[in-house]
Structures are given as structure tokens and as C-alpha cells.
Amino acid sequence: MRPVTYSRAWAVADAVHAVTADPESAYLAGGTTEIDLLRQNVATPGRLVDINDLPLTGIEEIRPRGGLVIGALARMSDVAAAPAVRTRFPLLAQALEAGASAQLRHMATMGGNLMQRVRCGYFRDTESPCNKRRPGSGCGALTGVNRGHAVLGTSEHCIATHPSDAAVALAALDARVHTRTSAGHGAYHVDDFFLLPGDTPHREHPIEHGELITSIEIPDTPTARNSTYLKIRDRASYEFALVSVAATLQLEQGRISGVRLALGGVATKPWRARRAERLLLGASADRRAFAEAAREEMADAAPTPMNAFKVELAQRAVVRALESLA
């Protein structure tokens, strides 16, 4: 068994310095993904820096302008149960509660949820080719079993879907991810925080080695009070999405005055459906408008024979989510 060194950090600056200075090191928070990858020999850090004692667990309202700041080490279950989240951002609470199992939600952190690696079987099987794990080795999923893989945002190098439910809701909410580096502070719009695979599928985020997520900021979003997270999966619990929809909707005299849409389970990153949003603004809140917008959003899908069903399933899911809010 390959040895791994373990240490604990008590201050953010100390944690960042420890990992930045050692290219073989990695952060350890809830560990619900990291430990799996260690066991599978997919992740091979020589040192783990435990950050669970850092003061990054708060859930605070931003005053006076509204919004929330969620600490990167806040547990998924605590965020889902927070009254401010349930009242003002119900789609986020629903997305968190739809993810993993109750036991894992009590352990997993918000920052770790955003950083989790793909669940593609070829990525987690070290005997299979995978450009994420070993750049240039090929993508086993392209011609292999790919029923659960992406139809949007793909490339010839990778078609793995991003697994997070919470990230889909955060994409719909225009969240910002705040980080700390040895040089200072950083911030990323959530849409920029997740990278398309393109020619560099091994690079999933713009952050550098040692850069630590410290918080997630959700701006005040009045439309989010009328919101939902719809997750369609093969079984009712402890399963990743085939298709998911995070949606908010605001109506004035029967017409759509505000809408946010993001899709999960169909793309290589949490997919903000901006094309559909543009079509829906000002339209009548009816099934015909919803269906037309959904078709347009999925028009560029590039399915395989195994996952072609996701194109229609995603369209139906968008219609169903919007109808439930209208």
C-alpha cells in the first residue's frame, strides 16, 4: 500500500501554505470523494492536509443588499436545513437533499461538493483509458458504455457528466466561488469555475494547486423564492441524475418576467440554459413556450446511441419543472 502523510491545519493561511508548497499534497475535508479515489488509486497524493478545523462553516446573510455567504466547510445537510436557504433559495435546499445519502450529506462539505470528480467508470478504472486521469491516453467512454454520459459541452476527448446536484442550483443562482491563495484572495463566477473539457479534459477548474475554496456567495435573487429542483434518475435515492433541472420563475399578468434555468446530468459541467432563458423572457407561461425553449436549448446536443434518450428527457424535464412553478 502506498503511504500517505497526514497533517491538520488550524488556520486558512497555514493550510494554503502547506498545500501550495508541496505539489504532492491535497486538502482533506469531508473526504467522501477523496477517500474513494485514494482507495481506487485514481488520486495519488503523498500528503493530506486536513482542513476540518478551519473556521469556514458559517451560513450568513449579506446585509443590507441580501444574499447569502456559505462557508466552504459547511456540511450539505446543514445548508439544506438552514431557514434562509429553505425560504429564499428552495431549489438549493432541494438539490442538496437530492444528492447522495443522508449519511454522506452529514459529512460532505459545500466546497468539496463543487470539487468532486466525475463518476465516469472509465475515470475510476485505472486500467481503462481516460484523458482526465492520464492526458493523451484516450477516452474509453466514447465507444464504451456511455448511457449516463453528457450530450452537451462534450469534446472528442471527454464526455463525462459533472455529478454535483448543488452546483446545478448554484449555476441557476449566479453564485460566486471565493478562494484563498498564498498571494491573496480570488473569486470566480460559478459558470467560470467549471471548465468544458475541450482539449484539456484533465483541467476541470481554473484554480491553481493550493488554492482553497473559502466560501460560496449567492446574490439576492427574488425569483428564487418560486423555484424548484427536479431530478430524474434510475432509482429514487442515492443515485446520480440522468437529467436534472434547477428553475426559478417570476410572472407578471401571465407572462414571464424573470426566469433562471440550469441543467444537470446532460453536460460536462453544470449547464446554464441561457438560450432557453432568452426565449422565455416575455413569453406566455404555457406548455408551448416551455417546450419551444427546451427544444432550442438542446438543439446542439451531441448524443451517442446509448444516451440519445437524454435529449427528449431533458426537454420534458424542463417543461415539467416550469409548469410546476407556473
Side-chain angles (χ1 to χ4, degrees), residues 152 259 261 271-281 289 292-301:
L152 292 171
V259 61
L261 280 174
W271 190 264
R272 182 67 179 268
R274 298 188 186 277
R275 187 183 297 181
E277 290 177 357
R278 287 193 294 269
L279 283 175
L280 287 168
L281 275 177
E292 181 182 351
R295 281 195 301 272
E296 184 64 24
E297 188 62 47
M298 299 303 296
D300 293 335

Side-chain angles (χ1 to χ4, degrees), residues 297-317:
E297 188 62 47
M298 299 303 296
D300 293 335
T304 70
M306 280 190 181
N307 67 12
F309 72 94
K310 285 193 175 188
V311 178
E312 182 177 355
L313 185 61
Q315 294 177 47
R316 289 174 177 263

